[in-house]
Amino acid sequence: MPQCHKFLPSIFPQVIALGLSLPVVAENNLRLEEVVVTAQKRSESTQDIPIAISAYNNHTLELKGANDFAKLATTLPALNFSVYPSSSDALIMYMRGQGVNDVGQITREGAVGVYIDGVYMVRPQSVTMDLADIERVEVLRGPQGTLYGRNTTGGAVNIITEKPAGELGFKQSLSIGNRDYWRSLSVVELPEMAGIATKFSYVSSDKDGYVDNIGGSPDYGENRQQGFRFSARADLTDQFSIDYAFENTELESSPIYYQNDLLASPTYSTFPHTKTPRAADMELGDTETTGHTLTLDWSISEKLTLKSISHYSELESVYSQDYMDAAFVYSYYTSMDDIKSRQFSQEIQLVGNALDQRLEYVAGLYYFSDSASHAQTLGLLDLQDNFDPGNNIPSPLNLRYHRYVTTDNESSAVYGQGAYTPPVLDDRLTFILGVRYTEDTRAGVRDLSAEVLEYGSTFPVDVDVEKSVSYESFDPALSIQHQWTDDITGYAKISTAYKSGGLAESSADFTIAYDPEEITSYELGIKSYWLDRRLRLNAAVFLSDYQNMQLDLSPDPTQIQVVNTYNAGSAEIRGFELDVLMQLTQNLQIGVDYAFLDWTIEEVLNPANGSDITNQFSLPYTPRHAYNIALNYTIDTPANSQTDFYIAYSWQDETYMSASTTADKTVKGFWTRDDYGVVNARLSIGFNEVYNGSLRLALWANNLIDTEYEAHRFTAGIGSAVAWNEPRTYGLDIIFEY
């Protein structure tokens, strides 16, 4: 199976030919359902918009077992991710080769924007919570610089929650599994009263770790969550409605465990460890978020709607990590982080149509502000006596580096997009033009000091170093879409986007800012149905060119706490994506998602001396081949029951896990994650008319064949630190809905 990707592209024509050779059956229940999304701020079918998009409703999310963002991401070939090294509360996310490796820095943001009910979530710690009570998830691939302007050079993930229906309803889900896993989700909907519909949901879960800490609690890989959400909807008139949502979530977790395979010995195995070699010095991390979202929707007329989205939230995340023996230049390396953040955003949208609906348009104003602080302590037992204040202090030294950073960021934008269908070619040709103008301001203050514990001495490095920067960007996008038949649409698209510049927390010089990273993308795509809509085939080929790459450079590999960020290069990414969904029979459905990425780093110049260091760099989290093959078999069984069997295989080629990998092939290998494949499966039996409701029982397994692969890698000086994936998990879901 590890060689499947070498011949997989050649299989697709035969698979499609097989589908085309199937007899056409007229039953409408064999037709694939239309998928309606709001990717362009209005309700539209995914087949009618010039965007490479994947959308999943709550039923599909349940089949995938995707009750959190990480589980969903494993089934999306175009989205590559890893758990952040020092905290399982944050995810490193890349799409089409775009992303940010060090997501723990509050002075920078990622390239994949995550939006919940239209609200941009600035902190990656906000997206690791349980996906509870979700209507659907939309994954928009490629630059979304017009309608989703906050640093979405790689793509956007749109999470839409279930809104109150105004009718009495109840859902209770209970899950149990290995490693003492349990999860409970309760959703209560109340009947509409005085024109107001309300809904309450509460989720709680707990799971033990998978690498035991011989020093006691916590173990590595522990996770427990709880979250409460209240939502209300008021239809004040037939034209005006108000939606309000309040949520509070708390996540307690421990980080992933690192081991150094160069330390292999009879007592230190190169296989994934199940316990630590010594007592770990860390505490259970705690991330808490509280948020309010208010949405006003006014249908001014049949042709014009005005919408306002207001959001305020607070986040506090405290986490620690003991890297054990993974950092080879140190015998002891720990970290402790405390992040506090407040964000506010306001968006006004005007959605309408004119000229007898030949023109559809969206216009908007956007404002975003974020204030945050980050206190970090790194504990190092220095084996090389790199720190000597001039007192002939002998090695080793027990050091502490203390860093405290505050940042205030503001962004404002005006945007518009219009889609015009001229009265030619039977109204099958549409031109779409979008523009966005953005202004960003970022400011930060940093204090940095080093402490030698043996002598009780603290040495200031930076004291109240301030820096502020501002940027502006004009980003147009042009698409031409042609509907060849009622079931086949093609499009060509040119779009631009930018990822804001800023400051690097861990830089040796905090006053050195980096400029925005700019991307121009060229894309051709097709959206199509075949066989009386029993086969859906969507494909996109693209070329992305980006300039002023924001690259992280380590001036000294032994000082792993110092990382500078520069605009040092340019790159080109070529890709192909294919989404196929086939309803082979009334009971059998097969889906194939495939992504191909081919990248070239064209030039990287050393900021210090201008020398060419291109061969020292790679694009991380950009596998050449990645795919997901899923089979869902449904049968109706006696006694008003239905059985679903779902199984999926996901594959990723080898990939680098850092941009700065050096030209040394051995060191590059330290940064390489090998290719791997994972099988997930679920067997569900549903019973109707159970106490006037429905009951589902589901047996499931994630990583069914217990594949071992590297969840993350890094190198420090000599040696390679590797964190292995979570082993197989399995369990039972019991779901009752009324």
Side-chain angles (χ1 to χ4, degrees):
M1 197 65 182
Q3 302 301 317
C4 283
H5 66 283
K6 295 184 178 179
F7 61 83
L8 186 63
S10 65
I11 287 180
F12 284 129
Q14 286 101 346
V15 172
I16 296 170
L18 172 63
L20 294 175
S21 66
L22 291 172
V24 177
V25 181
E27 289 94 331
N28 289 332
N29 62 356
L30 290 183
R31 288 190 170 195
L32 296 171
E33 294 182 358
E34 289 278 1
V35 180
V36 177
V37 296
T38 53
Q40 296 190 127
K41 312 300 184 183
R42 65 173 79 238
S43 296
E44 301 168 296
S45 167
T46 57
Q47 300 302 99
D48 295 337
I49 57 177
I51 298 175
I53 183 173
S54 301
Y56 307 95
N57 59 23
N58 51 12
H59 174 69
T60 303
L61 293 174
E62 183 179 309
L63 281 178
K64 290 175 174 286
N67 54 20
D68 62 45
F69 193 80
K71 291 188 181 70
L72 175 63
T74 59
T75 68
L76 300 176
L79 184 60
N80 299 281
F81 78 101
S82 175
V83 177
Y84 189 56
S86 58
S87 169
S88 59
D89 292 1
L91 294 179
I92 300 169
M93 292 188 294
Y94 276 70
M95 194 183 299
R96 288 190 175 180
Q98 297 283 307
V100 168
N101 216 346
D102 192 353
V103 298
Q105 295 194 35
I106 62 171
T107 53
R108 68 192 309 176
E109 298 170 38
V112 180
V114 177
Y115 297 79
I116 300 179
D117 291 332
V119 175
Y120 173 69
M121 309 309 296
V122 66
R123 299 286 160 229
Q125 293 86 357
S126 303
V127 303
T128 54
M129 300 302 180
D130 203 306
L131 289 176
D133 202 25
I134 300 299
E135 177 183 318
R136 68 181 183 277
V137 176
E138 304 169 1
V139 181
L140 289 63
R141 305 190 293 272
Q144 308 295 325
T146 301
L147 299 181
Y148 299 85
R150 290 297 303 159
N151 298 332
T152 50
T153 54
V157 179
N158 225 359
I159 301 173
I160 295 92
T161 62
E162 288 272 13
K163 302 301 185 292
E167 298 178 356
L168 180 62
F170 175 73
K171 177 180 179 179
Q172 178 62 54
S173 173
L174 294 173
S175 304
I176 56 172
N178 62 325
R179 298 206 342 247
D180 290 333
Y181 169 73
W182 65 268
R183 176 181 182 265
S184 172
L185 168 64
S186 304
V187 180
V188 178
E189 288 217 48
L190 298 180
E192 182 178 302
M193 294 182 290
I196 301 176
T198 56
K199 173 187 281 193
F200 301 84
S201 60
Y202 177 77
V203 63
S204 180
S205 65
D206 198 333
K207 181 167 59 177
D208 287 348
Y210 55 94
V211 177
D212 293 336
N213 175 11
I214 65 173
S217 181
D219 296 325
Y220 286 85
E222 287 188 26
N223 186 294
R224 59 181 63 104
Q225 301 187 36
Q226 63 176 351
F228 170 78
R229 179 181 176 87
F230 165 76
S231 56
R233 180 179 180 87
D235 292 313
L236 300 184
T237 69
D238 292 340
Q239 291 78 36
F240 188 76
S241 64
I242 300 176
D243 283 282
Y244 169 75
F246 165 80
E247 61 182 355
N248 176 265
T249 60
E250 184 174 8
L251 167 64
E252 293 182 311
S253 63
S254 58
I256 52 179
Y257 168 82
Y258 284 90
Q259 60 190 69
N260 195 325
D261 288 349
L262 293 187
L263 298 177
S265 69
T267 59
Y268 194 95
S269 171
T270 59
F271 295 104
H273 293 184
T274 58
K275 63 180 180 180
T276 64
R278 59 169 174 80
D281 181 13
M282 63 179 183
E283 298 177 1
L284 203 62
D286 189 355
T287 296
E288 184 172 2
T289 61
T290 301
H292 306 263
T293 303
L294 179 67
T295 302
L296 311 179
D297 197 315
W298 180 24
S299 296
I300 300 174
S301 69
E302 293 182 356
K303 299 181 179 181
L304 188 62
T305 299
L306 180 65
K307 177 180 286 188
S308 167
I309 304 175
S310 309
H311 176 81
Y312 174 80
S313 61
E314 297 182 357
L315 175 146
E316 182 171 2
S317 184
V318 180
Y319 52 88
S320 62
Q321 167 72 297
D322 186 339
Y323 289 89
M324 307 302 287
D325 303 306
F328 206 88
V329 294
Y330 302 103
S331 65
Y332 181 77
Y333 179 31
T334 63
S335 64
M336 174 68 76
D337 294 82
D338 186 343
I339 293 176
K340 296 179 175 64
S341 175
R342 298 187 305 273
Q343 75 170 76
F344 170 78
S345 64
Q346 175 63 55
E347 184 167 4
I348 303 293
Q349 299 173 4
L350 197 64
V351 181
N353 66 80
L355 304 177
D356 292 329
Q357 297 188 343
R358 291 191 178 277
L359 175 64
E360 294 184 334
Y361 59 87
V362 178
L365 298 173
Y366 180 75
Y367 174 78
F368 171 87
S369 67
D370 166 46
S371 297
S373 65
H374 183 191
Q376 183 184 71
T377 297
L378 299 178
L380 314 170
L381 183 59
D382 190 358
L383 298 182
Q384 300 184 6
D385 198 12
N386 291 319
F387 188 86
D388 186 350
N391 297 319
N392 297 318
I393 300 175
S395 184
L397 295 177
N398 198 348
L399 308 179
R400 291 288 186 271
Y401 286 92
H402 302 283
R403 186 173 75 205
Y404 183 72
V405 177
T406 60
T407 184
D408 291 288
N409 308 309
E410 288 189 349
S411 179
S412 56
V414 56
Y415 64 86
Q417 178 174 287
Y420 178 67
T421 302
V424 297
L425 300 177
D426 295 327
D427 296 337
R428 292 183 179 272
L429 182 66
T430 302
F431 298 91
I432 303 172
L433 175 64
V435 293
R436 188 183 190 102
Y437 175 74
T438 306
E439 291 184 352
D440 281 346
T441 301
R442 309 181 74 90
V445 181
R446 185 178 79 173
D447 285 317
L448 183 64
S449 62
E451 179 183 7
V452 184
L453 297 187
E454 284 84 354
Y455 297 88
S457 302
T458 301
F459 303 89
V461 179
D462 281 343
V463 179
D464 291 338
V465 176
E466 299 184 30
K467 182 68 175 181
S468 62
V469 292
S470 60
Y471 309 101
E472 60 182 30
S473 181
F474 179 78
D475 294 293
L478 174 64
S479 302
I480 300 175
Q481 181 174 295
H482 186 265
Q483 189 175 5
W484 298 100
T485 71
D486 291 343
D487 291 334
I488 303 176
T489 301
Y491 67 88
K493 182 178 182 180
I494 302 175
S495 59
T496 65
Y498 97 121
K499 183 169 62 180
S500 179
L503 312 169
E505 279 191 49
S506 56
S507 174
D509 185 352
F510 191 64
T511 64
I512 299 177
Y514 54 89
D515 291 330
E517 186 176 271
E518 301 168 351
I519 182 170
T520 303
S521 177
Y522 309 87
E523 183 173 328
L524 294 173
I526 184 173
K527 305 285 187 77
S528 64
Y529 284 113
W530 305 85
L531 299 175
D532 195 28
R533 299 203 169 193
R534 294 174 57 196
L535 168 65
R536 186 174 68 223
L537 187 154
N538 297 336
V541 58
F542 62 89
L543 171 65
S544 298
D545 178 73
Y546 63 105
Q547 304 295 321
N548 294 325
M549 281 195 306
Q550 297 169 2
L551 293 176
D552 295 331
L553 307 176
S554 299
D556 183 353
T558 66
Q559 298 293 323
I560 58 180
Q561 73 278 8
V562 179
V563 179
N564 300 333
T565 303
Y566 300 97
N567 298 99
S570 59
E572 186 176 271
I573 304 174
R574 298 160 294 277
F576 171 71
E577 296 166 346
L578 180 67
D579 301 330
V580 178
L581 185 62
M582 296 175 283
Q583 190 72 44
L584 293 181
T585 70
Q586 186 171 352
N587 305 107
L588 179 61
Q589 187 178 88
I590 295 178
V592 178
D593 298 317
Y594 170 72
F596 168 82
L597 292 173
D598 180 33
W599 54 266
T600 301
I601 294 184
E602 298 173 329
E603 182 182 56
V604 179
L605 301 179
N606 190 321
N609 53 31
S611 61
D612 191 332
I613 53 174
T614 305
N615 62 349
Q616 297 185 22
F617 288 86
S618 307
L619 273 188
Y621 300 97
T622 311
R624 189 173 181 84
H625 300 278
Y627 60 84
N628 181 75
I629 301 175
L631 179 151
N632 185 43
Y633 188 77
T634 302
I635 57 174
D636 293 322
T637 52
N640 295 318
S641 64
Q642 177 178 296
T643 299
D644 284 286
F645 175 67
Y646 175 88
I647 187 167
Y649 180 79
S650 300
W651 169 271
Q652 280 197 4
D653 256 352
E654 68 177 15
T655 185
Y656 293 106
M657 309 203 80
S658 173
S660 179
T661 54
T662 80
D664 188 302
K665 291 184 178 180
T666 300
V667 178
K668 278 183 177 291
F670 291 158
W671 283 107
T672 303
R673 176 170 67 188
D674 292 334
D675 51 26
Y676 68 93
V678 173
V679 176
N680 296 330
R682 183 182 182 90
L683 176 63
S684 174
I685 303 177
F687 302 91
N688 296 321
E689 300 179 10
V690 178
Y691 294 102
N692 296 322
S694 64
L695 176 68
R696 296 190 299 280
L697 306 177
L699 292 170
W700 51 265
N702 296 319
N703 193 10
L704 177 65
I705 59 177
D706 208 14
T707 301
E708 295 176 351
Y709 62 91
E710 301 99 328
H712 192 262
R713 276 185 173 273
F714 74 89
T715 181
I718 57 175
S720 176
V722 57
W724 292 92
N725 65 295
E726 181 180 10
R728 174 175 52 226
T729 57
Y730 52 86
L732 169 68
D733 292 346
I734 305 172
I735 304 170
F736 176 77
E737 289 190 74
Y738 170 79

